[in-house]
Amino acid sequence: MPLALLALAVGAFGLGTTEFVMMGLLPDVAGDLGISIPTAGHLVSAYALGVVIGAPLLAAVTARMSRRTVLIGLMGLFVAGNALSALAPGEHWLLAARFLSGLPHGAFFGVGAVVATGMVAPERKARSVSLMFLGLTLANIAGVPVATLMGQHLGWRATFLGVSAIGLAAIASLALLIPHDHAHAPAVGLRRELVALKSVPVWLALGTTVAGFGALFAAYSYITPMLTDSAGYAGSSVTLLLALFGVGATAGNLVGGRLADHSLRGTLFGGLTSLIVVLALFPVLMSTQWSAAVAVVLLGTAAFVTGSPLQLMVMEKASAAPSLASSANQAAFNLANAGGAWIGGLALAAGLGATSPALTGAALAVLGLGVAAVAAVVDRRRVDVSPGRERVVATHLPEQAEAVRY
């Protein structure tokens, strides 16, 4: 695998750290700014909103630019957003800075996935994406805990300055390691990039992301009360257990990337099925401390097995606009974050028990598996499966067609 993937992983590490560290810093930020914790929670939403808006927007407007230049520019915007977060004098300034920090998130992963797959042989594409995502999963193991401890001992502003330093290291790595000959996007243009997203298979792939990762966040958003109220862990143990989730996510990401290079759709189906089983077993697994720890690892593993396959599938379904489609998948991931947390919260509010969010997550995973099955049927109907025959299949761009042989 090219060393350039390390530069993408460093950027992903910084993005993952700043995305999730705010959850652990909410009490410190709220106390310093004189606001309530629920109000401080809007800072999490501001980042997610920045991702959803920035992912497709920045990918579209930079479609004609060098991808190497785009990646460096996006990381520069990330550094600026985190530096402004550290210097924010009040709540509203911090909200704006968090929104700015979120803008480059999805576009970086989207463009980065295109660059990563362009540097390797076709049979290694999924693994190249998983190695870029490795920075995101490692952020849950090391970046978030260390950044949280830094904020608790040195002040939350020091955390964002530290994340800015990671961003600067990522810029240096990108400039040094991303080769120019793999960095230039074809001159597709904004209009044709947008037209490429009209494809039904693209939207089915995005729908699978929303439902599948919505299942994860329906449970993970409320993992702390499950661990404390059901499994009987002390609150001080939760940070270590969340690091176990990162270990599982890292393992699932690497395994999913390797398996997807052999069978993209098979890996997706297998990952979603595993997620359904794990979430359905949560009420049993959360009954003892040892099984609860196992459940946390299994949740991360099952969920992130599907990460690379979904990213690659969206890119393949929108081959004329891979950067935009890949970035849109990151927006879908953040919609899953917000929607899954909301649906899981409804189960808790209804008094269905501490582990009820996991069961709602299992239902969402079933929905995701159903959408993936529909996508498979649609794909089969779009091609002629008769052996030895060749058929010209119209693409989403009227002036193009591709020959598909089966």
Side-chain angles (χ1 to χ4, degrees):
M1 287 291 177
L3 188 60
L5 293 175
L6 175 62
L8 297 173
V10 173
F13 182 83
L15 290 163
T17 300
T18 199
E19 179 179 18
F20 294 111
V21 74
M22 182 55 76
M23 286 83 159
L25 294 179
L26 285 182
D28 303 272
V29 174
D32 185 53
L33 298 181
I35 57 177
S36 67
I37 289 182
T39 299
H42 296 161
L43 298 169
V44 178
S45 302
Y47 186 93
L49 182 62
V51 177
V52 172
I53 293 176
L57 179 63
L58 292 178
V61 299
T62 59
R64 289 180 174 270
M65 296 175 60
S66 158
R67 286 178 178 145
R68 179 176 182 273
T69 301
V70 170
L71 288 171
I72 293 173
L74 290 171
M75 195 50 58
L77 185 59
F78 167 81
V79 170
N82 282 279
L84 290 173
S85 296
L87 301 174
E91 172 197 353
H92 298 297
W93 284 100
L94 185 54
L95 277 171
R98 285 290 290 171
F99 176 80
L100 180 64
S101 300
L103 284 176
H105 181 112
F108 182 89
F109 280 106
V111 177
V114 176
V115 172
T117 55
M119 291 189 293
V120 298
E123 65 273 13
R124 292 175 175 262
K125 284 187 175 183
R127 268 175 282 184
S128 71
V129 173
S130 71
L131 288 177
M132 180 185 68
F133 283 158
L134 184 63
L136 180 64
T137 57
L138 287 176
N140 286 282
I141 301 175
V144 173
V146 170
T148 301
L149 288 174
M150 180 186 297
Q152 291 171 347
H153 290 86
L154 302 177
W156 62 269
R157 297 179 188 275
T159 294
F160 290 110
L161 289 177
V163 173
S164 296
I166 297 174
L168 292 174
I171 290 174
S173 300
L174 291 167
L176 181 64
L177 298 177
I178 298 295
H180 289 276
D181 56 340
H182 289 291
H184 294 283
V188 175
L190 177 57
R191 183 186 66 83
R192 293 176 65 186
E193 285 261 353
L194 294 174
V195 170
L197 289 185
K198 290 184 177 180
S199 170
V200 172
V202 171
W203 284 99
L204 288 174
L206 293 174
T208 305
T209 296
V210 172
F213 276 96
L216 165 65
F217 287 110
Y220 186 65
S221 300
Y222 305 97
I223 195 69
T224 296
M226 290 188 209
L227 291 170
T228 55
D229 297 346
S230 295
Y233 276 103
S236 57
S237 303
V238 171
T239 300
L240 176 60
L241 290 166
L242 295 184
L244 289 179
F245 172 84
V247 171
T250 300
N253 173 56
L254 293 174
V255 170
R258 181 169 291 273
L259 292 177
D261 279 328
H262 297 284
S263 175
L264 187 64
R265 202 175 296 277
T267 303
L268 179 58
F269 285 164
L272 288 171
T273 302
S274 300
L275 186 58
I276 293 169
V277 172
V278 170
L279 289 171
L281 290 176
F282 249 56
V284 176
L285 294 173
M286 284 290 163
S287 60
T288 64
Q289 291 190 347
W290 72 267
S291 59
V294 172
V296 172
V297 176
L298 291 178
L299 178 63
T301 303
F304 277 85
V305 161
T306 64
S308 298
L310 280 170
Q311 190 76 23
L312 194 58
M313 187 171 292
V314 170
M315 292 165 59
E316 291 183 348
K317 299 307 176 187
S319 56
S323 296
L324 181 56
S326 184
S327 300
N329 194 51
Q330 293 300 312
F333 179 87
N334 277 268
L335 286 175
N337 189 340
W342 176 69
I343 293 173
L346 291 179
L348 275 182
L352 300 179
T355 58
S356 60
L359 297 180
T360 62
L364 284 173
V366 170
L367 176 61
L369 186 60
V371 176
V374 171
V377 172
V378 169
D379 281 351
R380 291 192 188 100
R381 289 182 176 179
R382 289 168 67 91
V383 297
D384 185 356
V385 295
S386 300
R389 294 184 61 186
E390 186 178 82
R391 175 187 174 192
V392 174
V393 181
T395 66
H396 35 264
L397 298 178
E399 67 270 25
Q400 292 181 339
E402 60 181 354
V404 182
R405 186 182 297 278
Y406 287 84

